[in-house]
Amino acid sequence: MDRRQASDSEVFIINPDYTQNLLQNVLRIIRYFCAQMESLQRTGSKIALSIILIISALYSYGQSKAKLQGTVVNAATKEPIDYASVSLVDPHSGKPVNGAVTDAKGNFSLTGIAPGTYQLLVEFIGFKPTTQKNVVVGSGTIKLGTLSLSPSSASLQAVTVTGSRPLVENHIDKMVFNAANDVTSQSGVALDVLKKVPSVSVDIDGNVELEGNPNIRFLINGKPSTIFGSNLADALQSIPASQIKSIEVITSPGAKYDAAGTGGIINIILKDNRIQGIHGTINASAGTRLENGSFNLGVRKNNIGVNAFFSGNEQLNTTTINTTDRQSFNPTKDTLTGLLQTGSSLFKRSGYQSGLSAEWDVTPRDKLTASFNYNHFGNHSSGITNQLQQVTDGSGNSLSALPSVRNAGGQSSSNSSDYSLDYKKNFKNNKDRELDVLITTSVGKNISDYYQEQDYPAGGATTSGSRGHNPGTDKETDFSVDYTQPLSEGFTLETGAKGVFEQLSNNIATDTLLTDKTYSPNANQSYGFTYSRQIYAYYLSSSFTLFHHFLEGKAGARYEYTHTTADFPGTNIPGYGLFVPSLVFQHKFDETQSIKAAYSYRIERPDYGDLNPFYNISDPHNISTGTPSLKPEKGHRYELGYNKSFGNSANLYIAAIYRYNTDDLQTFATYYPTLDVNGTTYTDVSLTQRYNIGSQTSFGGNIFGSLPVTSALSLRLNAQFGTRTNKSPGLATVSGFAVRTNLNASYRFGNDLVAEVFGNYNSSQKNIQGTRPAFIFYTLAVRKEFFHKKASLGFTTTNPFNKYVNQKTTLFGTNFSQYNLRQVPYQSFGITLSFKFGKLEFKEKEKERDNDNGPTPIEQPAQ
């Protein structure tokens, strides 16, 4: 779905009969594609066969229509102009028949054009429109070359740009959600934005899934960061929504991307400025549950630009109510052991980010960018739980009862620093030929602590307790070289290599509570842990067109070799190599509708928390730990999608998705009547770890729709649905159907006042041991803009009529069953203030310089 901004003069012509026949045939293709899924999951050769069948079905719709290509540049500087409007006009009626906008390199492409003679109109703010007459169109590709736009004045000292990109843009290999255009999420954090993004779902605890898969590779500005290594939910809570420009969802990443993440890639793009002059924004939000603020400053003079930002947020103290009822039994089930826990816990989270970046356009074809970010987040929890352990016989008669009170808490913090240096070069003879050299380093320092004490007011046992301290470091350095070479019309080759060097280290110290209320070091639960991993990768990919531009596609292959060492006793991890193919085809019937088929092979390497063997004993009846010997999860993903854009800016995207994973990483709980943890015995324990458990198969669909009902009222729907099946040796096969959907409605009252309502629903989902809870929430927001849209004031509320969101979870094992109810406070009220300052300058140089040292291209705001 190519949801690009259209100028006021763009009109899309739709043939109803053609569209109806098209939809019928698309449905036939989807049904056939779905029927082939089960047979495709093991035989790699059938992947190619399936793609050939899809291409054959698509080829029957081919039409010998023409394609126009060209490039728009600044007449004064000879630099490309991004986002210029290009319209193909019928000279007899004066009406546009086709249109597009230019990309970052000034290129545009118009496809599906019937033979004839036309006029071409090119427009961009701050420039004089230009018209090229007598454009004769026959068949094949017609290259118009370079079209120049002249600035409308030598200097515009103050310019107000009111245009904006559409909220969602769909490209052949990714979907882009332009967060800066969203109202209800702007007072929140990154998680609030992700709840709006197509194909993404977020639960009440901040766990993110992409098309139902939680194994996602997160990036910031296209680069990895250790901010995501310790606690993903905390990291996403530390990024204010006002700091986010857009979020890219890459469900079928190409060979250029790292193979990590069977669920795909989510790339968070932070706001930047490449506009001449001094400018910035200030945002602040205050509320009953969340407070945040951010400051952005951009300075650019000629070919040098500097951007700085600082943002911080705090989730205020909230009290969550917990109830857990677990029943365990012996093999003959003549004795039952019950554990009832009821209590509440206080929780608080805070974090901040800061960053500085500098860009230097050494020449029009050589660009150097350096950046530094420093991130911090942390949380703190504490609570009291009343516990009752009771043993009964098969008839329900009580054999023993032991009441107790547990006082426990914990805190964690993470500080990470990210450095990067990027050099990009475009070549004089071909501006699409590019060399990119990037080095990034990210260092994280993480600390996780806990304490717990169990008292027995009625006697029956002595007071017990422990505390743990787990400091560690997480370092990653990446070095990559990428090269792009156009070889011919419609064919571009990309290649590159990358080295990734990761190292994790921990020092774990545990103390045991003595009878005199003092602590003594526990040598058996104190140790060090070092884990290192090196990944060496090479890839080759291509972008191409086939059958006279009937099909466009991307195909590639990546090879990664992973070497891992861990000094934990008994752990030996062999090295392994992986061949990772990817393929996507797209056919555009015209500028308003397209269909695509994609395949990708991905892996999920276990992360910091999965590997760390530290035992968290903040609740001695529910202990968790990591597993250093985990293997990577491997996944195949297939997609068949259809996109339609309508003349009134309405959009529809429908996709069928199939995924098959092996060595599936799953969380699994095992019940032990007694459990020895390095010399200390605990009773009535559920131990939770991550394992490589069998396989998982998912089949379902995505629907995204946007409908402007009137000029003031707009609706947006985002829905995911499907069935997920887990198969594991020695365990029962588990299948379950789930639905995730949200609906957004916005209304513009005029006078720069807009209101939105956003509702989200996630159904319950069966997993390998029980059910994941369902939840629903809704958000209302209004925003008023002032001072020529330089300032805005907003009000936002979430779940105003419900204080708690109830989370009901069930868990089953061979010798236990468990029910849990969490009442999470989710109600909130808040206000948001935003202010923009500075001026935008569109200036020309007084003197022209040669091509190697020419002035910086004229640009427009990214929002």
Side-chain angles (χ1 to χ4, degrees):
M1 180 168 63
D2 190 4
R3 299 190 57 196
R4 296 171 298 183
Q5 176 79 16
S7 69
D8 294 338
S9 61
E10 289 178 317
V11 176
F12 296 108
I13 307 300
I14 303 171
N15 186 319
D17 294 334
Y18 176 71
T19 302
Q20 182 178 0
N21 293 333
L22 168 66
L23 288 173
Q24 291 174 351
N25 284 283
V26 167
L27 290 174
R28 292 191 187 103
I29 296 170
I30 291 176
R31 284 195 296 267
Y32 175 80
F33 186 76
C34 296
Q36 298 297 314
M37 292 303 183
E38 189 65 29
S39 63
L40 289 175
Q41 65 185 29
R42 290 187 178 88
T43 307
S45 61
K46 292 186 179 180
I47 296 171
L49 176 60
S50 176
I51 293 171
I52 292 171
L53 292 171
I54 294 171
I55 296 172
S56 299
L58 293 174
Y59 188 72
S60 63
Y61 300 109
Q63 297 179 7
S64 57
K65 292 188 176 182
K67 180 177 183 179
L68 286 178
Q69 291 180 332
T71 303
V72 179
V73 301
N74 183 344
T77 67
K78 307 305 180 185
E79 294 297 332
I81 298 178
D82 179 17
Y83 219 55
S85 173
V86 181
S87 303
L88 194 66
V89 180
D90 185 333
H92 302 292
S93 65
K95 295 182 178 180
V97 297
N98 208 325
V101 291
T102 57
D103 61 18
K105 297 181 179 179
N107 298 327
F108 67 89
S109 178
L110 306 178
T111 59
I113 304 171
T117 301
Y118 302 91
Q119 294 179 353
L120 192 75
L121 174 65
V122 184
E123 301 171 292
F124 183 65
I125 186 171
F127 290 79
K128 298 176 183 178
T130 184
T131 300
Q132 184 169 340
K133 299 181 179 180
N134 299 322
V135 178
V136 180
V137 175
S139 61
T141 299
I142 301 171
K143 295 185 178 181
L144 299 176
T146 300
L147 306 175
S148 299
L149 291 182
S150 300
S152 57
S153 62
S155 176
L156 299 179
Q157 294 297 329
V159 177
T160 300
V161 181
T162 59
S164 62
R165 292 185 183 273
L167 187 64
V168 177
E169 300 175 79
N170 197 343
H171 303 272
I172 185 173
D173 57 348
K174 64 186 175 183
M175 187 172 289
V176 181
F177 182 85
N178 292 307
N181 297 351
D182 186 65
V183 176
T184 57
S185 62
Q186 283 302 295
S187 62
V189 292
L191 284 176
D192 298 300
V193 181
L194 285 167
K195 293 169 185 174
K196 302 288 197 70
V197 177
S199 302
V200 176
S201 60
V202 182
D203 71 12
I204 211 75
D205 297 312
N207 300 309
V208 183
E209 292 186 348
L210 181 53
E211 297 177 343
N213 191 323
N215 299 324
I216 306 166
R217 171 74 160 171
F218 275 88
L219 305 174
I220 294 181
N221 293 334
K223 306 178 185 71
S225 173
T226 56
I227 188 177
F228 298 123
S230 178
N231 188 313
L232 179 60
D234 277 352
L236 294 174
Q237 289 274 15
S238 72
I239 306 174
S242 58
Q243 191 65 39
I244 298 174
K245 172 187 172 184
S246 61
I247 293 181
E248 298 178 347
V249 176
I250 310 170
T251 52
S252 296
K256 186 175 181 178
Y257 294 97
D258 292 342
T262 54
I265 296 173
I266 292 180
N267 185 22
I268 299 175
I269 306 296
L270 302 181
K271 292 180 179 177
D272 63 356
N273 291 289
R274 285 184 54 82
I275 308 164
Q276 294 288 329
I278 301 174
H279 32 78
T281 59
I282 300 174
N283 296 276
S285 299
T288 59
R289 186 171 178 267
L290 181 69
E291 296 180 343
N292 64 54
S294 66
F295 172 78
N296 290 66
L297 177 66
V299 180
R300 189 169 186 88
K301 183 67 173 179
N302 300 328
N303 61 339
I304 296 178
V306 177
N307 292 281
F309 75 89
F310 179 87
S311 60
N313 71 88
E314 181 177 27
Q315 181 179 317
L316 306 180
N317 266 331
T318 57
T319 301
T320 300
I321 302 172
N322 295 281
T323 301
T324 299
D325 187 358
R326 184 169 70 211
Q327 298 291 324
S328 55
F329 36 85
N330 58 12
T332 59
K333 295 187 178 181
D334 56 4
T335 302
L336 302 178
T337 301
L339 173 66
L340 179 64
Q341 296 175 306
T342 58
S344 61
S345 61
L346 292 173
F347 182 81
K348 184 178 181 179
R349 175 189 282 120
S350 62
Y352 62 84
Q353 286 188 306
S354 60
L356 180 68
S357 65
E359 296 176 335
W360 178 26
D361 294 334
V362 184
T363 74
R365 292 185 293 276
D366 297 271
K367 176 182 174 182
L368 195 64
T369 304
S371 66
F372 167 75
N373 292 324
Y374 183 79
N375 313 295
H376 165 80
F377 62 81
N379 62 52
H380 179 273
S381 63
S382 61
I384 296 177
T385 303
N386 295 305
Q387 305 177 129
L388 176 62
Q389 292 174 270
Q390 188 171 22
V391 180
T392 61
D393 60 20
S395 301
N397 300 314
S398 178
L399 301 179
S400 66
L402 181 62
S404 62
V405 178
R406 178 170 59 89
N407 191 331
Q411 61 182 12
S412 65
S413 66
S414 176
N415 299 283
S416 64
S417 302
D418 300 334
Y419 311 82
S420 70
L421 183 64
D422 186 15
Y423 169 70
K424 287 187 178 181
K425 179 176 181 61
N426 295 97
F427 294 84
K428 185 174 181 179
N429 58 341
N430 191 331
K431 61 183 177 61
D432 292 324
R433 182 183 170 201
E434 183 177 273
L435 175 68
D436 189 356
V437 181
L438 173 66
I439 181 171
T440 65
T441 296
S442 185
V443 180
K445 295 184 178 181
N446 314 297
I447 298 176
S448 179
D449 296 332
Y450 82 88
Y451 70 89
Q452 62 87 14
E453 178 180 331
Q454 296 195 107
D455 297 304
Y456 302 86
T462 59
T463 296
S464 63
S466 64
R467 66 185 182 187
H469 180 58
N470 177 210
T473 59
D474 180 1
K475 182 177 181 180
E476 178 176 339
T477 298
D478 296 6
F479 180 79
S480 62
V481 178
D482 301 285
Y483 177 71
T484 302
Q485 174 69 64
L487 295 179
S488 64
E489 168 63 27
F491 187 81
T492 299
L493 194 66
E494 292 181 281
T495 188
K498 184 175 184 178
V500 179
F501 308 92
E502 302 175 73
Q503 184 165 346
L504 311 177
S505 63
N506 285 272
N507 291 299
I508 297 147
T510 304
D511 299 331
T512 300
L513 182 66
L514 304 178
T515 55
D516 61 357
K517 297 290 186 177
T518 63
Y519 284 92
S520 175
N522 186 336
N524 291 327
Q525 294 184 28
S526 299
Y527 48 88
F529 169 63
T530 301
Y531 181 97
S532 64
R533 180 165 59 197
Q534 297 86 44
I535 304 169
Y536 305 94
Y538 173 77
Y539 76 91
L540 183 67
S541 67
S542 63
S543 301
F544 52 85
T545 59
L546 299 173
F547 312 125
H548 302 289
H549 299 282
F550 175 75
L551 279 179
E552 60 179 303
K554 293 186 175 184
R558 184 182 185 91
Y559 180 80
E560 293 188 351
Y561 180 80
T562 304
H563 174 72
T564 307
T565 58
D567 65 356
F568 195 68
T571 301
N572 180 28
I573 306 172
Y576 57 90
L578 285 171
F579 178 75
V580 185
S582 61
L583 182 64
V584 58
F585 284 117
Q586 177 177 267
H587 169 64
K588 288 186 177 181
F589 300 98
D590 52 40
E591 285 299 309
T592 70
Q593 54 187 335
S594 62
I595 188 171
K596 74 174 182 179
Y599 165 76
S600 62
Y601 177 64
R602 309 282 295 167
I603 66 171
E604 175 65 20
R605 297 183 179 92
D607 63 17
Y608 180 94
D610 299 331
L611 300 166
N612 190 348
F614 171 67
Y615 281 89
N616 187 328
I617 314 177
S618 56
D619 180 355
H621 297 294
N622 295 279
I623 300 174
S624 62
T625 186
T627 308
S629 59
L630 285 174
K631 297 183 294 184
E633 173 183 292
K634 306 174 186 68
H636 302 267
R637 180 187 178 277
Y638 308 82
E639 176 183 358
L640 183 62
Y642 169 73
N643 165 66
K644 174 66 178 176
S645 299
F646 299 90
N648 61 349
S649 299
N651 294 273
L652 176 66
Y653 181 72
I654 303 174
I657 309 295
Y658 176 83
R659 181 183 287 111
Y660 176 69
N661 294 344
T662 57
D663 289 326
D664 199 55
L665 287 168
Q666 293 275 352
T667 299
F668 194 83
T670 306
Y671 175 78
Y672 296 91
T674 60
L675 177 67
D676 180 86
V677 179
N678 298 327
T680 301
T681 300
Y682 298 91
T683 61
D684 198 8
V685 177
S686 175
L687 178 65
T688 301
Q689 291 178 270
R690 290 262 273 176
Y691 295 93
N692 294 108
I693 299 179
S695 64
Q696 184 182 93
T697 303
S698 302
F699 175 70
N702 292 339
I703 298 176
F704 174 81
S706 177
L707 176 64
V709 181
T710 68
S711 59
L713 176 63
S714 296
L715 301 178
R716 190 169 71 247
L717 171 70
N718 177 25
Q720 306 163 56
F721 52 90
T723 299
R724 187 171 66 189
T725 302
N726 291 288
K727 296 181 179 180
S728 304
L731 299 175
T733 298
V734 178
S735 295
F737 181 81
V739 176
R740 305 168 183 84
T741 184
N742 60 60
L743 179 65
N744 192 97
S746 64
Y747 191 86
R748 296 188 175 274
F749 293 93
N751 298 319
D752 296 325
L753 177 65
V754 61
E756 282 193 7
V757 58
F758 173 72
N760 188 91
Y761 169 74
N762 277 26
S763 71
S764 62
Q765 171 76 64
K766 286 185 178 180
N767 56 39
I768 200 165
Q769 278 191 289
T771 57
R772 184 185 64 184
F775 70 91
I776 186 171
F777 70 88
Y778 52 97
T779 299
L780 309 172
V782 293
R783 183 174 66 186
K784 171 68 176 176
E785 293 178 310
F786 305 93
F787 308 127
H788 305 289
K789 298 188 176 182
K790 290 184 178 180
S792 66
L793 180 66
F795 171 78
T796 303
T797 178
T798 298
N799 283 21
F801 306 110
N802 304 88
K803 184 175 182 180
Y804 295 100
V805 173
N806 293 330
Q807 297 282 275
K808 300 177 182 179
T809 306
T810 60
L811 192 65
F812 304 96
T814 56
N815 58 349
F816 77 99
S817 63
Q818 180 174 303
Y819 168 82
N820 177 256
L821 172 63
R822 294 174 61 236
Q823 295 177 274
V824 183
Y826 212 65
Q827 184 186 72
S828 67
F829 303 88
I831 59 173
T832 302
L833 176 65
S834 177
F835 180 71
K836 302 176 182 179
F837 61 90
K839 61 183 179 180
L840 315 183
E841 298 178 353
F842 294 81
K843 286 189 174 182
E844 293 182 283
K845 291 293 184 182
E846 295 181 0
K847 295 182 179 181
E848 291 295 327
R849 293 183 285 182
D850 59 35
N851 287 337
D852 288 337
N853 297 283
T856 305
I858 293 177
E859 294 174 317
Q860 71 176 93
Q863 299 185 41

